[in-house]
Amino acid sequence: QVQLVESGGGLVQAGGSLRLSCAASGRTFSRYTMGWFRQAPGKEREFVAAIRWSGGRRYYADSAKGRFTISRDNAKNTVYLQMNSLKPEDTAVYYCAADPQTTGVTYEYWGQGTQVTVSS
């Protein structure tokens, strides 16, 4: 069983930055692909970014490319999402997820989410 706890959300002005953190429990965290997703009010949850266990392969949604950076520290069982140049359309609840099968689509564990609000 894996438990994920997100933190770092908040209110920021457009153009600002936030860094989200996701602390994971479980000894095999370092083997999982980890992802960030978000869900805005009235919209479906969407993929934001993912990172392979070694940190060498990273994937981004088009909306995140060039502005967001996903990283991980396996020694700390933590994955991060650095978000720069934030826009009002980035406003959403951001979720961390773990993919034990490392397929990139089998996210079995989810955090409770952290709210990010970007004001114009």
Side-chain angles (χ1 to χ4, degrees):
Q1 189 71 13
V2 175
Q3 291 186 328
L4 305 173
V5 179
E6 302 97 335
S7 62
L11 174 64
V12 64
Q13 289 188 333
S17 298
L18 283 174
R19 188 176 82 154
L20 305 183
S21 299
C22 173
S25 64
R27 294 182 296 175
T28 55
F29 165 82
S30 63
R31 295 295 184 182
Y32 297 170
T33 291
M34 298 297 296
W36 285 96
F37 293 76
R38 68 186 183 185
Q39 186 167 20
K43 295 187 177 181
E44 293 186 353
R45 186 166 57 193
E46 63 177 6
F47 169 78
V48 176
I51 186 167
R52 294 287 190 183
W53 69 272
S54 66
R57 297 289 296 273
R58 310 181 190 196
Y59 309 89
Y60 296 95
D62 287 343
S63 59
K65 288 178 182 177
R67 300 188 300 127
F68 294 2
T69 302
I70 189 171
S71 62
R72 67 190 296 164
D73 185 337
N74 288 336
K76 295 182 178 179
N77 277 13
T78 302
V79 62
Y80 305 96
L81 185 67
Q82 176 68 43
M83 304 186 295
N84 299 327
S85 302
L86 283 161
K87 305 174 182 179
E89 51 264 45
D90 294 318
T91 295
V93 177
Y94 283 70
Y95 298 91
C96 172
D99 170 17
Q101 300 182 49
T102 69
T103 64
V105 294
T106 50
Y107 289 94
E108 298 180 13
Y109 304 103
W110 294 83
Q112 294 298 310
T114 185
Q115 177 70 47
V116 171
T117 302
V118 184
S119 64
S120 57

